[in-house]
Amino acid sequence: GSFEIGQGIGRTKDLLLRTSSMSLVGTGEVDLAKAYVNIDLRSITRTSTSDNRPAVKPFRIEGPIAALTTESR
């Protein structure tokens, strides 16, 4: 993915994290000055559950970099 940086904030609309079994795509921002993250992610699985839903629910990573939290969406 890519980030656009302006006024100390990195913003992305095309974040991509890949493993051997799935990929996560996301959007969000990282405030570099405040060391704060706010990113929404959803999975694109290569394997799915028996009812064809993605194995990982959409979620948000948010908070200070030293104390990130996750929340299901």
Side-chain angles (χ1 to χ4, degrees), residues 1-6 8-17 25-32 36-41 65:
S2 61
F3 280 86
E4 291 182 14
I5 309 270
I9 298 174
R11 292 181 177 85
T12 183
K13 293 181 182 178
D14 63 356
L15 185 63
L16 175 62
L17 306 167
V25 294
T27 61
E29 60 186 36
V30 177
D31 186 321
L32 301 171
Y36 194 89
V37 174
N38 183 2
I39 295 179
D40 290 311
L41 295 164
I65 290 174

Side-chain angles (χ1 to χ4, degrees), residues 8 22 24 56 73:
M22 68 186 250
L24 295 171
V56 177
R73 295 265 140 194

Side-chain angles (χ1 to χ4, degrees), residues 13-73:
K13 293 181 182 178
D14 63 356
L15 185 63
L16 175 62
L17 306 167
R18 216 176 250 176
T19 70
S20 61
S21 61
M22 68 186 250
S23 296
L24 295 171
V25 294
T27 61
E29 60 186 36
V30 177
D31 186 321
L32 301 171
K34 295 179 182 176
Y36 194 89
V37 174
N38 183 2
I39 295 179
D40 290 311
L41 295 164
R42 64 181 175 84
S43 66
I44 300 174
T45 57
R46 297 191 182 109
T47 5
S48 57
T49 60
S50 60
D51 57 3
N52 289 326
R53 292 186 318 177
V56 177
K57 292 181 180 181
F59 63 99
R60 172 175 281 173
I61 298 173
E62 185 174 21
I65 290 174
L68 292 173
T69 60
T70 59
E71 174 185 318
S72 293
R73 295 265 140 194

